Amino acid sequence: MAAIEATAELARGSHSASGREQAVDSLRLLVQRANGAVRGRRERERALDDQEARLHGFDGPEAGAVRELIAALRGAAVELPDDLDRRVGSALELEGRAQEAGYVASELQRALGELGYELGPDFETVLVDQGFTDFSRPEWPGYAVRVRVGGRPPHLDFNVVRGASDRIDQASRDREVETEFCDGQGAVLAKLEKGGILADRTRVVGPGEMPIEIVAAGAPEESREVSRPAARERER
């Protein structure tokens, strides 16, 4: 602004036509540059506004990190990162998956609770944050069903697990528990459907067709071992 004012004063004070013309040309160029800078700042702010608007309704850590980046860019005289659009898109993808998984986990918790299954503390939170958790029935001492959630659209994997045991009839008891869970899956699916989740079987391994997964005794939820392929799979 000071340069424009100085050039304008020079144009007014010039005693020759050529001097005034040169000063006017310089003034015109400075004004054009100033207007261009203003337009550039406005376009930059609009671009940041548009990216921030895409994050509306997403309050998870990924969206929060991108919002912090956008806030920092507003106060910095730097070019916008070339990958800003990609960062926002990646955050939206992760947030969308988390929201969908959270809804599925919530409805599964409701369905299992209504059907009399025993659920661990913070079932929904653990399932979403850790990716898996366990539930059981009073008549299955030493056994549980491990459920995993993942993918998009979210899919649920179920398989029966147990602690270490050396029963004489171990194989028979394993098949018995797996059979009971398989027989009860239809009721679980019906409950999920009432909550707006349509689930179809995509793969089924029958009772006894694979060795049962052994987990840490007394702490199945704390075991982070990678399991065998899920014996029961549901896909939303």
Side-chain angles (χ1 to χ4, degrees), residues 43-64:
E43 291 173 359
R44 186 177 186 276
E45 287 300 309
R46 279 197 296 269
L48 291 174
D49 289 342
D50 290 344
Q51 295 293 1
E52 191 165 19
R54 294 173 63 193
L55 298 169
H56 179 72
F58 294 91
D59 301 318
E62 289 80 10

Side-chain angles (χ1 to χ4, degrees), residues 1-229:
M1 182 63 69
I4 293 177
E5 292 176 351
T7 304
E9 183 63 28
L10 178 62
R12 287 193 296 269
S14 178
H15 298 293
S16 66
S18 61
R20 286 195 297 273
E21 185 175 345
Q22 290 178 355
V24 169
D25 288 342
S26 297
L27 178 61
R28 184 180 297 111
L29 180 60
L30 287 173
V31 170
Q32 289 175 347
R33 289 176 177 174
N35 289 339
V38 171
R39 285 194 298 270
R41 287 194 295 270
R42 288 176 178 173
E43 291 173 359
R44 186 177 186 276
E45 287 300 309
R46 279 197 296 269
L48 291 174
D49 289 342
D50 290 344
Q51 295 293 1
E52 191 165 19
R54 294 173 63 193
L55 298 169
H56 179 72
F58 294 91
D59 301 318
E62 289 80 10
V66 178
R67 283 195 182 92
E68 290 180 1
L69 171 62
I70 291 174
L73 289 171
R74 290 189 188 280
V78 296
E79 293 292 329
L80 298 185
D82 293 336
D83 64 344
L84 180 59
D85 187 73
R86 181 194 61 77
R87 293 190 192 185
V88 173
S90 177
L92 293 177
E93 173 70 17
L94 293 172
E95 294 280 349
R97 287 188 180 187
Q99 287 188 358
E100 290 177 356
Y103 178 72
V104 171
S106 176
E107 288 301 311
L108 179 63
Q109 176 176 266
R110 177 191 59 79
L112 294 174
E114 291 178 358
L115 291 170
Y117 289 94
E118 295 180 336
L119 310 179
D122 301 319
F123 176 91
E124 177 185 344
T125 301
V126 173
L127 179 56
V128 174
D129 292 347
Q130 184 171 276
F132 71 91
T133 190
D134 301 324
F135 61 92
S136 187
R137 296 194 70 89
E139 60 268 29
W140 297 344
Y143 289 84
V145 176
R146 178 153 293 182
V147 56
R148 296 171 176 80
V149 63
R152 193 171 193 186
H155 64 267
L156 296 172
D157 297 341
F158 299 96
N159 67 291
V160 175
V161 299
R162 65 169 171 82
S165 177
D166 58 356
R167 291 174 50 143
I168 296 177
D169 62 343
Q170 191 65 66
S172 175
R173 179 55 178 160
D174 288 352
R175 285 193 299 272
E176 182 180 10
V177 173
E178 286 189 310
T179 299
E180 290 177 3
F181 175 65
C182 288
D183 291 345
Q185 282 188 330
V188 175
L189 296 182
K191 290 284 187 181
L192 289 176
E193 186 171 349
K194 287 184 178 180
I197 298 175
L198 300 179
D200 297 315
R201 292 189 178 191
T202 58
R203 184 167 62 93
V204 176
V205 177
E209 292 183 13
M210 292 182 61
I212 203 166
E213 181 185 355
I214 310 301
V215 299
E221 290 187 7
E222 296 174 5
S223 173
R224 290 183 174 271
E225 297 177 0
V226 177
S227 74
R228 303 174 185 276

